């Protein structure tokens, strides 16, 4: 009798664990590679499509059994700023990024928590305070094949909302109250860096059950006309987190092919967020 009770309890625990996992699936995988920004200084759209043409040629040679259709065209132009506490960089040190994007009259704020552990990321509450807040759990894959899981929430930000102290983070994302941040400590733009972000989209590939959608992102620092950062990425999404092995295999082939394009790939690979924090090394002690 006790054996059956134990088995029944185990079954209930397994069922509960499965339910929890299903409630918060990994809905996106984004494969990212930094490119040489100097390549895109002149005629970025034409250059992006030259890159795409070479990628297609290399994928065919690598035995890719699908096609990459479409071409790059301008998608968005917006301003990007990251915020943290100067000197201590408390958010970054705890695994968070706090990013503002402004496009025309639209303003949004994003809180993202990153971890090497999917369960840690999934179990970190990043809920927003706005009724239109959107939360997602994704994986970022960067060279050589590093996976980092991110749980993030993006929500609209009022045009009159100031971001001056760490308590402003708690106002917008209430679960961060558990971080016990010094509420009146200053919150500043990381590295005094205001980024003009230009994004290009259009190409996509049918990988089977899911599609890959490609983007090129160019960053310009503090009003400069020189491209400071360039990244090509492709995202594979499924609202139920049901990614097939074949889709994953095709995604890795594309990713490895891009990484192998040494004439295009940056010789100083990092991530865009790391690049922001390194822009003025004295911002963090």
């Amino acid at each position: 009798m006790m054996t059956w009770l134990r088995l029944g309890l185990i079954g209930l625990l397994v069922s509960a664990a499965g339910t929890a996992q299903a409630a918060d699936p990994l809905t996106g995988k984004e494969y990212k590679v930094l490119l040489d920004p100097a390549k895109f200084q002149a005629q970025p759209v034409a250059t992006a499509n030259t890159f795409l043409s070479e990628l297609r040629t290399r994928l065919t040679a690598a035995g890719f059994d699908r096609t990459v259709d479409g071409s790059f065209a301008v998608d968005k132009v917006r301003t990007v700023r990251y915020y943290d506490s100067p000197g201590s960089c408390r958010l970054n040190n705890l695994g968070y990024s706090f990013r503002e994007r402004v496009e025309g009259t639209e303003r949004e704020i994003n809180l993202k928590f990153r971890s090497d552990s999917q369960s840690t990321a999934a179990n970190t509450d990043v809920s927003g305070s706005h009724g239109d807040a959107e939360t997602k759990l994704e994986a970022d894959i960067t060279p050589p094949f590093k996976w980092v899981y991110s749980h993030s929430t993006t929500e609209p930000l009022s045009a009159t909302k100031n971001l001056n102290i760490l308590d402003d983070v708690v106002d917008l994302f209430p679960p961060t109250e558990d971080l016990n941040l010094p509420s009146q400590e200053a919150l500043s733009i990381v590295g005094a860096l205001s980024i003009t972000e230009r994004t290009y989209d259009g190409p996509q590939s049918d990988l089977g059950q899911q599609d890959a959608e490609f983007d090129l992102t160019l960053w310009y620092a503090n009003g400069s006309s020189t491209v400071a950062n360039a990244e090509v990425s492709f995202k594979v999404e499924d609202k139920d987190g049901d990614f097939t092995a074949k889709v994953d295999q095709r995604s890795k082939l594309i990713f490895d092919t891009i990484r192998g394009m040494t004439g295009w790939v940056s010789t100083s690979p990092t991530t865009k967020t790391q690049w922001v924090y390194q822009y003025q090394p004295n911002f963090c002690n």
Side-chain angles (χ1 to χ4, degrees), residues 68-205:
V68 178
D69 302 314
S71 58
F72 282 111
V74 176
D75 180 29
K76 295 181 177 68
V77 179
R78 55 195 176 188
T79 301
V80 178
R81 302 180 186 94
Y82 287 72
Y83 291 81
D84 210 332
S85 52
S88 60
C89 288
R90 295 184 187 276
L91 295 174
N92 185 58
N93 288 334
L94 289 170
Y96 291 85
S97 67
F98 188 61
R99 182 194 66 208
E100 173 193 24
R101 281 177 171 163
V102 180
E103 183 179 6
T105 60
E106 301 296 321
R107 189 181 182 206
E108 67 179 28
I109 195 73
N110 171 276
L111 180 72
K112 179 179 289 188
F113 175 79
R114 291 184 175 90
S115 175
D116 292 338
S117 164
Q118 180 175 340
S119 61
T120 299
N123 291 322
T124 299
D125 191 353
V126 291
S127 301
S129 58
H130 196 283
D132 291 330
E134 296 184 358
T135 300
K136 58 186 178 181
L137 179 65
E138 297 183 309
D140 289 341
I141 300 98
T142 57
F145 196 58
K146 178 177 174 59
W147 287 60
V148 175
Y149 299 91
S150 64
H151 204 185
S152 67
T153 296
T154 301
E155 64 183 25
L157 186 63
S158 165
T160 59
K161 174 64 176 177
N162 293 319
L163 302 174
N164 297 321
I165 57 175
L166 285 173
D167 202 40
D168 292 324
V169 181
V170 178
D171 285 345
L172 294 164
F173 300 95
T176 58
E177 185 174 7
D178 293 340
L179 301 178
N180 296 314
L181 300 170
S183 62
Q184 298 303 305
E185 189 168 309
L187 185 69
S188 301
I189 298 172
V190 176
L193 180 60
S194 183
I195 300 159
T196 298
E197 179 181 77
R198 297 179 181 272
T199 65
Y200 306 80
D201 68 358
Q204 59 182 1
S205 181

Side-chain angles (χ1 to χ4, degrees), residues 44-45 48-49 51-52 70-74 200-203 214-216 232-233:
V45 174
N49 285 308
F51 166 83
L52 186 63
S71 58
F72 282 111
V74 176
Y200 306 80
D201 68 358
F214 291 77
D215 287 281
L216 176 73
V232 66
S233 65

